[in-house]
């Protein structure tokens, strides 16, 4: 029950949300007079579960930031849309026999409703949905351009296959060798795939990270994912056999210590050596066993090393000219480097373990010298010289592995060189420089229904033919069964009338490609579409692209560090190369949002029964309190547990602002006290800086401090309105309501952002009123806490005071610290 004048969040919030919509307050306008600001959320996948209170955290932040930018006079683009292709909708369709489109539309409606009650400033006229044919027409168009440039190709390499989702997956879709979606162990399966040549962009993706204002942790993840290694390729002749084995090494300086070679069990040359191998049976058996292991198992450090000697095959170390044995072992992977290594047990731990097991020679070729330590070899800095000496001796005789750099020994003319010098010289003499990447080309086809059809036609006479651009979009047809076929074909393959078509090139019989795109396709360019969502003749017009340029502020979860954020950068660079965009990078600044965990400290999930629903919180406490609470919980990028009790603190703050507002508006001509002014301007400065830096929690605490001061003193309507403006991005409803009852014109959300005035910022200054016989004769600024003695001395000299005192007798000096001095005087009596 509400009494008059009491804070009724339900009424206030609903009515303002309606008014803003009617007024189109947040509609985006391109304007040449204004600087632009593009603020973007990673758009959600609209799942059937709806939003929990963790989801809006990032959305509230972009909302605050975009409101702040708008009040700062910028043209703001803050849109929202839906990333709606993908497995969950499809799985739901299979289970419940509804078309994915139906459930997706329902889920979107629910998400939109849930978001709207929080009061965001989205311009819904720019809403996009990746499953709209008008949208995915352009996703398909980009694919065609990639195809034309030779960056989309068919491959029959074995790929990651999830036996449960029954589809091929990209490396990025795996977590520890398991399907990121369902947790099944991935198997390698050879099948025809569409692959995108992201590796062509590896160096640019790596180098341009330097230009981005992104959290370092995300840059590090991308660097590791790209995994650039500088090293050398070295050929090892095989005694009596034609083909040499080429190895990739990052330590060419250790070549003289290479005492055997190892090939990946899958390596093609193993078949090439078949007629020379005398223990082929053993080799085959080992190859079968390897197939059962995933990459993690194979490469894990400390795992017992296994392998099989290739009897009958001997290699020659090009530096020592000695014959060395050749093995296959599963710790060497076929698809990295050349799939073959020179093993240097003295300086590589994996090789060392293997050498111990198979009794192979360990030859130290790098002396563990620490040149800084004046010839004292220290391997581990915190051990004694004696221990150090012992370790040194073990290394030198090959009883211990040393992986660091040092000084070359047992390396012929290279002895005495530093590892770095030796590396260059040995590469020049015996091999060639080579740069290798961990990044693999992007496996781009899925054998599933709910995705963009790949716009390709297979013709018996012309082969692979792209669908002409004029025929886009290739619309996803209706099917009867969404379930994967398990044959490695998508359910689309069953629709004859769709599959069978004419070849655009020769007019003969053609068949449509039935693979669909991965769920990452639509999100790899969506930010561009917001600039120009209704354009039917281009993905984005030149003018709009030139105007909005890049995303100025991008906010989302760190789980996208190596997938979405690499794919989108790749596509953007490609679009730059073909002249669609004018910038090299899509997201100039990125902020990572920390999770809101359940009250029990676990991830919020239906599974744990710890989900808190934002709808209920908004009903009970109001959207403004929810917004303030989520931003006040702690630093934005940290994970923090939800606590329904603590939201009361934010609610109380909102209520106090409400009371303050009512008090101020009921007072006539109230003037702000110096304390109020100082508190206000300190808050202006702090909130301005903190919103820019995404430090919302400290911004809110500055607002709380300011309001506390206001409660204890006088504040004018004008100054309180400035305070409301500072609070407006955080609590848009209550501030709009109070503003409308004061002298604010129009909406608070388009009022110009307050500027801090320097003179009030010296928070230690107080104004002393100077009276003579109770009448005000002047005032002065002094530092707080000044002594009576000093104040009296200063006050006498203030302009306009002297004439009332000079030549008179001072009978008394009344002093109120930090406020007032009153000289009580009388005329001279003789
Ligand atoms: C000889 C050597 C001596 C190596 C030494 C290291 C230390 P990154 O940095 O990850 O690129 N390697 C090369 N190809 C491999 C493959 N397909 N599977 C498993 N291991 C492979 O690692 C490069 C190093 O990993 C290479 O340098 C090679 O071992 C090994 F003292 O060559 B090195
Ligand atoms: Zn043809």
């Amino acid at each position: 029950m509400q009494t008059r004048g009491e804070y009724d969040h339900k009424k206030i919030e609903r009515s303002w949300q309606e008014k803003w919509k009617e007024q189109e307050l947040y509609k985006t306008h391109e304007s040449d007079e204004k600087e632009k600001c593009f603020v973007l959320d990673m758009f959600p996948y609209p799942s059937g579960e709806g939003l929990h209170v963790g989801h809006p955290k990032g959305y509230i932040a972009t909302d605050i930031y975009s409101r702040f930018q708008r009040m700062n006079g910028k043209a703001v683009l803050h849109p929202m849309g839906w990333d709606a292709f993908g497995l969950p909708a499809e799985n739901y369709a299979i289970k419940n026999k509804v078309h994915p489109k139906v459930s997706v539309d329902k889920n979107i409606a629910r998400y939109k409703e849930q978001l709207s009650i929080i009061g965001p400033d989205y311009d819904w006229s720019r809403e996009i949905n990746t499953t709209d044919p008008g949208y995915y027409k352009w996703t398909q168009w980009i694919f065609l351009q990639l195809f034309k440039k030779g960056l989309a190709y068919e491959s029959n390499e074995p790929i990651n296959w999830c036996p449960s989702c029954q589809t091929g997956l990209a490396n990025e879709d795996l977590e520890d060798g398991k399907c990121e979606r369902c947790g099944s162990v991935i198997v390698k399966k050879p099948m025809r795939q569409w692959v995108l040549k992201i590796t062509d962009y590896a160096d640019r993706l790596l180098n341009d990270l330097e230009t981005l204002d992104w959290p370092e942790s995300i840059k590090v993840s991308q660097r590791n994912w790209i995994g650039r290694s500088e090293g050398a390729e070295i050929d090892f002749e095989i005694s009596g056999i034609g083909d040499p084995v080429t190895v990739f090494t990052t330590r060419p300086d250790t070549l003289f210590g290479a005492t055997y070679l190892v090939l990946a069990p899958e390596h093609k040359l193993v078949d090439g050596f078949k007629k020379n191998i005398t223990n082929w049976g053993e080799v085959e058996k080992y190859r079968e066993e390897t197939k059962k292991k995933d990459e993690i198992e194979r490469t894990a450090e400390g795992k017992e090393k296994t392998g099989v000697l290739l009897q009958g095959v001997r290699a020659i170390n090009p530096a020592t000219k000695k014959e060395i044995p050749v093995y296959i072992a599963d710790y060497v992977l076929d698809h990295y480097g050349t799939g073959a290594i020179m093993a240097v047990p003295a300086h590589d731990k994996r090789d060392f373990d293997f050498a111990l097991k198979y009794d192979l020679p360990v030859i130290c070729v790098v002396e563990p010298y620490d040149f800084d330590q004046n010839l004292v070899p220290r391997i581990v800095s915190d051990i004694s010289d004696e221990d150090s000496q012992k370790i040194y001796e073990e290394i030198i005789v090959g009883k211990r592995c040393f992986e660091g750099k040092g000084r070359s020994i047992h390396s012929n003319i290279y002895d005495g060189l530093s590892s770095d010098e030796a590396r260059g010289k040995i590469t020049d003499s015996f091999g060639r420089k080579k740069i290798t990447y961990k990044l693999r080309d992007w496996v781009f086809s899925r054998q599933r229904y709910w995705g963009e059809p790949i716009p390709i036609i297979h013709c018996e006479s012309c082969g692979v033919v792209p669908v002409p651009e004029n025929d886009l979009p290739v619309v996803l047809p209706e099917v009867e069964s969404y379930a994967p076929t398990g044959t490695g074909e998508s359910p689309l393959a069953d629709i004859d009338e769709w599959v069978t078509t004419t070849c655009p090139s020769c007019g003969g019989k053609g068949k449509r490609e039935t693979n669909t795109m991965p769920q990452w396709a639509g999100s790899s360019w969506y930010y561009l579409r917001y600039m120009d969502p209704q354009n039917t003749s281009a993905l984005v017009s030149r003018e709009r692209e030139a105007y909005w340029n890049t995303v100025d502020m991008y906010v989302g979860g760190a789980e996208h560090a190596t997938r979405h954020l690499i794919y989108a950068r790749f596509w953007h660079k490609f679009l730059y190369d073909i002249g669609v965009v004018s910038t090299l990078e899509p997201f100039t600044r990125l902020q990572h949002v920390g999770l809101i965990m359940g009250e029990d400290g676990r991830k919020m999930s239906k599974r744990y029964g710890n989900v808190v629903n934002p709808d209920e919180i908004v009903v009970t406490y109001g959207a403004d309190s929810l917004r303030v609470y989520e931003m006040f919980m702690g630093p934005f990028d940290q994970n923090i547990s939800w606590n329904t009790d603590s939201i009361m603190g934010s609610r109380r703050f909102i209520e106090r602002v409400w009371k303050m507002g009512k008090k101020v508006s009921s007072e006539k001509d109230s003037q702000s006290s110096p304390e109020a002014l100082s508190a206000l301007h300190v808050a202006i400065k702090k909130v301005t800086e903190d919103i820019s830096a995404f430090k919302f929690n400290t911004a809110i605490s500055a607002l709380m401090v300011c309001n506390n001061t206001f409660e204890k003193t006088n504040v004018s309507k004008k100054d309180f309105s400035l305070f409301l403006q500072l609070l407006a991005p955080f609590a848009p409803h209550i501030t709009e309501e109070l503003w409308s009852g004061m002298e604010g014109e129009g909406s608070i959300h388009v009022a110009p952002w307050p500027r801090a005035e320097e003179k009030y910022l010296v928070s230690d200054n107080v104004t002393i009123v100077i009276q003579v016989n109770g009448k005000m004769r002047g005032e002065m600024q002094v530092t707080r806490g000044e002594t009576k003695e000093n104040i009296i001395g200063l006050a006498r000299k203030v302009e306009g005071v002297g004439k009332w005192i000079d030549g008179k007798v001072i009978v008394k000096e009344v002093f109120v610290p930090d406020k007032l001095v009153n000289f009580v005087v009388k005329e001279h009596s003789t």
Side-chain angles (χ1 to χ4, degrees):
M1 211 179 298
Q2 305 286 341
T3 51
R4 261 186 79 220
E6 217 164 283
Y7 173 52
D8 178 359
H9 65 261
K10 282 187 206 144
K11 208 169 103 202
I12 293 169
E13 292 178 355
R14 200 168 318 123
S15 82
W16 281 112
Q17 284 168 12
E18 277 162 19
K19 271 182 214 152
W20 295 333
K21 202 167 154 186
E22 269 162 41
Q23 300 164 353
E24 298 193 332
L25 187 65
Y26 305 123
K27 198 164 165 62
T28 309
H29 299 284
E30 285 82 7
S31 155
D32 287 336
E33 273 112 69
K34 286 184 177 179
E35 213 184 304
K36 67 94 196 187
C37 186
F38 186 178
V39 184
L40 186 65
D41 303 283
M42 288 184 188
F43 65 161
Y45 172 81
S47 83
E49 293 187 15
L51 296 174
H52 62 59
V53 287
H55 295 114
K57 185 176 169 190
Y59 307 149
I60 293 169
T62 55
D63 198 58
I64 291 167
Y65 192 78
S66 58
R67 287 172 180 279
F68 170 72
Q69 297 292 350
R70 187 180 295 107
M71 293 171 86
N72 275 283
K74 304 236 176 102
V76 168
L77 174 55
H78 184 218
M80 189 35 109
W82 317 102
D83 186 16
F85 272 133
L87 277 179
E90 188 172 338
N91 290 341
Y92 185 85
I94 293 165
K95 216 165 118 199
N96 301 286
K97 303 232 181 311
V98 291
H99 194 286
K101 174 104 184 66
V102 175
S103 52
V104 159
D105 284 350
K106 201 177 101 212
N107 294 344
I108 287 178
R110 166 106 196 273
Y111 262 62
K112 210 168 158 179
E113 171 61 23
Q114 283 190 300
L115 277 178
S116 296
I117 58 171
I118 296 167
D121 67 352
Y122 295 127
D123 174 359
W124 287 110
S125 72
R126 299 207 182 210
E127 180 178 355
I128 59 168
N129 177 338
T130 55
T131 65
D132 278 343
Y135 179 91
Y136 68 68
K137 169 184 174 177
W138 297 106
T139 313
Q140 292 173 335
W141 182 86
I142 296 172
F143 180 89
L144 287 182
Q145 311 313 308
L146 286 160
F147 177 79
K148 283 178 194 161
K149 297 278 176 206
L151 292 166
Y153 63 95
E154 280 183 294
S155 152
N156 287 298
E157 294 287 296
I159 56 144
N160 308 307
W161 175 261
C162 172
S164 151
C165 295
Q166 302 194 12
T167 182
L169 297 171
N171 276 0
E172 286 82 0
D173 295 322
L174 312 190
E175 257 164 30
D176 295 344
K178 301 202 175 91
C179 172
E180 176 265 340
R181 279 260 147 234
C182 72
S184 309
V185 173
I186 292 303
V187 294
K188 287 278 174 190
K189 184 167 170 166
M191 59 191 299
R192 188 185 61 86
Q193 293 287 334
W194 282 96
V195 181
L196 300 188
K197 223 169 176 183
I198 189 172
T199 50
D200 270 15
Y201 284 75
D203 266 326
R204 286 164 70 187
L205 288 170
L206 184 68
N207 295 339
D208 291 351
L209 281 174
E210 305 308 322
T211 66
L212 300 176
D213 183 1
W214 283 21
E216 194 51 32
S217 60
I218 295 188
K219 290 191 186 181
V220 168
S221 308
Q222 294 215 346
R223 276 186 209 116
N224 291 341
W225 188 260
I226 297 166
R228 185 181 193 273
S229 266
E230 252 179 72
E233 279 185 359
I234 299 175
D235 296 334
F236 283 67
E237 297 300 329
I238 303 297
S239 309
I241 305 180
D243 291 332
V245 171
T246 304
V247 304
F248 171 69
T249 175
T250 45
R251 291 294 303 273
D253 57 300
T254 63
L255 178 61
F256 284 82
T259 52
Y260 59 99
L261 289 191
V262 185
L263 307 185
E266 305 90 335
H267 200 290
K268 283 202 180 70
L269 274 181
V270 178
D271 298 299
F273 298 146
K274 187 171 172 182
K275 59 179 188 304
N276 303 74
I277 296 172
T278 55
N279 57 337
W280 184 252
E282 216 185 327
V283 169
E284 260 190 326
K285 191 162 154 259
Y286 188 76
R287 289 177 118 186
E288 280 308 310
E289 279 162 24
T290 306
K291 276 193 195 143
K292 293 184 206 132
K293 294 192 190 167
D294 65 48
E295 207 163 291
I296 306 293
E297 266 176 86
R298 287 174 59 163
T299 53
E301 194 151 321
K303 266 256 147 129
E304 164 137 19
K305 299 280 173 290
T306 60
V308 171
L309 175 68
L310 299 185
Q311 286 170 18
V313 181
R314 308 271 298 166
I316 296 160
N317 181 323
T320 62
K321 306 279 186 265
K322 279 195 189 128
E323 270 202 352
I324 56 174
V326 182
Y327 284 80
I328 54 170
D330 63 10
Y331 75 94
V332 175
L333 304 171
D334 193 36
H335 55 74
Y336 184 64
T338 60
I341 66 158
M342 62 179 211
V344 185
H347 305 291
D348 182 295
K349 189 73 177 68
R350 293 162 302 175
D351 300 342
F352 186 74
D353 294 343
F354 191 89
L356 281 193
K357 182 163 170 188
Y358 294 100
D359 202 18
L360 292 155
V362 183
I363 298 170
C364 175
V365 294
V366 180
E367 196 182 14
Y369 243 89
D370 183 340
F371 292 91
D372 295 339
Q373 293 289 326
N374 283 333
L375 307 182
V376 178
R378 281 175 185 272
I379 293 86
V380 185
S381 58
D382 59 356
I383 60 170
S384 69
D385 285 355
E386 253 161 77
D387 288 346
S388 188
Q389 187 60 29
K390 214 176 105 217
I391 289 172
Y392 174 82
E393 277 154 21
E394 284 176 10
I395 289 169
I396 290 295
V397 299
K399 287 219 171 97
R400 185 189 265 266
C401 178
F402 170 64
E403 295 193 302
K405 288 182 182 176
R407 199 159 74 177
S408 284
I409 53 167
H410 301 148
S411 295
N412 202 346
I413 57 167
Y414 307 97
D415 280 0
L417 296 181
S418 74
S419 297
D420 288 334
E421 289 169 312
R423 163 200 185 93
K425 297 212 157 126
I426 292 180
T427 303
D428 289 346
S429 309
F430 301 102
R432 53 207 170 265
K433 273 208 186 103
K434 174 75 186 176
I435 293 161
T436 300
Y437 301 87
K438 295 228 159 63
L439 184 70
R440 294 275 84 91
D441 277 344
W442 177 9
V443 173
F444 195 69
S445 38
R446 299 291 178 274
Q447 292 68 44
R448 301 289 310 230
Y449 171 71
W450 191 232
E452 302 87 346
I454 292 179
I456 288 287
I457 292 166
H458 299 270
C459 166
E460 273 173 26
S461 38
C462 314
V464 169
V465 182
V467 171
E469 284 178 24
N470 284 339
D471 294 349
L472 295 183
V474 177
V475 177
L476 188 61
E478 300 271 338
V479 287
E480 255 152 48
S481 163
Y482 309 104
T485 60
T487 59
E489 299 244 41
S490 101
L492 294 178
D494 284 342
I495 318 173
D496 270 341
E497 62 272 34
W498 184 79
V499 174
T500 311
T501 183
T502 47
C503 166
S505 165
C506 71
K509 209 177 143 216
K511 279 179 171 252
R512 287 191 188 281
E513 171 65 61
T514 57
N515 280 334
T516 53
M517 298 188 195
Q519 82 225 51
W520 306 105
S523 59
S524 292
W525 70 279
Y526 75 112
Y527 54 95
L528 295 170
R529 194 62 180 167
Y530 287 128
M531 299 176 181
D532 201 4
Q534 267 90 41
N535 196 332
T536 51
S537 60
L539 180 162
V540 55
S541 75
R542 268 181 204 290
E543 301 74 53
R544 291 286 182 96
E545 189 278 331
Y547 185 78
W548 293 111
N549 200 249
T550 59
V551 175
D552 299 281
M553 175 58 82
Y554 196 25
V555 177
E559 72 275 14
H560 292 297
T562 52
R563 281 188 278 187
H564 161 59
L565 287 173
I566 283 198
Y567 294 148
R569 292 182 62 222
F570 163 42
W571 277 29
H572 192 90
K573 287 179 184 304
F574 171 69
L575 292 173
Y576 172 84
D577 291 346
I578 61 168
V580 174
V581 301
S582 56
T583 54
L584 288 167
E585 285 285 337
F587 315 119
T588 312
R589 190 171 158 199
L590 178 79
Q591 285 285 339
H592 147 222
V593 46
L595 296 176
I596 293 183
M597 314 297 277
E599 227 150 347
D600 56 3
R602 291 194 287 188
K603 227 175 153 163
M604 240 183 230
S605 160
K606 241 188 180 170
R607 186 160 30 134
Y608 302 133
N610 60 359
V611 167
V612 181
N613 188 293
D615 316 29
E616 285 155 27
I617 297 293
V618 168
V619 169
T620 317
Y621 301 93
D624 285 339
S625 297
L626 172 73
R627 293 169 62 111
V628 168
Y629 172 59
E630 293 210 355
M631 293 300 104
F632 190 56
M633 288 173 94
F636 180 68
D637 58 358
Q638 284 177 22
N639 295 352
I640 298 165
S641 292
W642 176 267
N643 185 311
T644 301
D645 293 337
S646 309
I647 196 177
M648 251 339 271
S650 298
R651 165 79 190 193
R652 251 178 255 124
F653 166 59
I654 293 287
E655 283 172 358
R656 282 167 74 173
V657 171
W658 179 259
K659 278 205 197 100
M660 209 39 225
K662 291 290 150 190
K663 181 176 152 228
V664 172
S665 55
S666 67
E667 278 166 7
K668 271 214 167 77
D669 310 323
S670 175
Q671 292 292 313
S672 294
S673 68
E675 294 96 312
L677 277 170
S678 161
L680 173 66
H681 285 267
V682 167
I684 294 175
K685 184 160 187 283
K686 183 86 179 127
V687 173
T688 307
E689 288 166 0
D690 284 356
I691 293 181
S692 307
F694 261 54
K695 291 184 181 160
F696 305 112
N697 58 332
T698 51
I700 291 170
S701 87
L703 289 165
M704 289 173 166
V705 169
C706 181
N707 194 57
N708 282 349
T709 308
F710 283 180
E711 284 171 350
K712 290 184 231 134
T713 179
N714 282 337
V715 55
S716 69
K717 286 197 182 72
K718 178 178 139 283
D719 290 326
F720 188 73
S721 298
L722 289 174
F723 168 82
L724 288 177
Q725 282 184 263
L726 299 180
L727 181 60
F730 299 89
H733 310 91
I734 186 180
T735 49
E736 185 83 305
E737 176 76 14
L738 290 172
W739 172 269
S740 73
M742 284 195 212
E743 40 204 65
E745 262 175 52
S747 168
I748 191 170
H749 300 300
V750 289
W753 188 253
R755 303 275 158 223
E757 284 180 52
E758 211 50 52
K759 66 178 175 201
Y760 300 118
L761 288 179
V762 202
S763 55
D764 273 338
N765 275 13
V766 289
T767 306
I768 304 279
V769 171
I770 305 162
Q771 299 177 334
V772 179
N773 288 346
K775 282 210 177 79
M776 174 152 165
R777 300 298 182 190
E779 59 179 323
M780 64 179 184
Q781 295 261 324
V782 297
T783 36
R784 188 181 297 280
E786 206 54 87
T787 59
K788 181 177 179 182
E789 226 178 27
N790 285 346
I791 292 290
I792 287 167
L794 291 167
R796 281 164 165 273
K797 293 182 200 121
V798 168
E799 205 190 334
V801 174
K803 66 177 176 208
W804 302 100
I805 301 175
D806 292 345
K808 301 193 175 148
V809 178
I810 299 176
V811 273
K812 205 171 161 195
E813 292 139 343
V814 183
F815 176 65
V816 184
D818 295 338
K819 289 216 165 77
L820 170 142
V821 57
N822 182 16
F823 297 98
V824 183
V825 301
K826 63 172 199 190
E827 299 296 327
H828 260 297
S829 58
T830 42

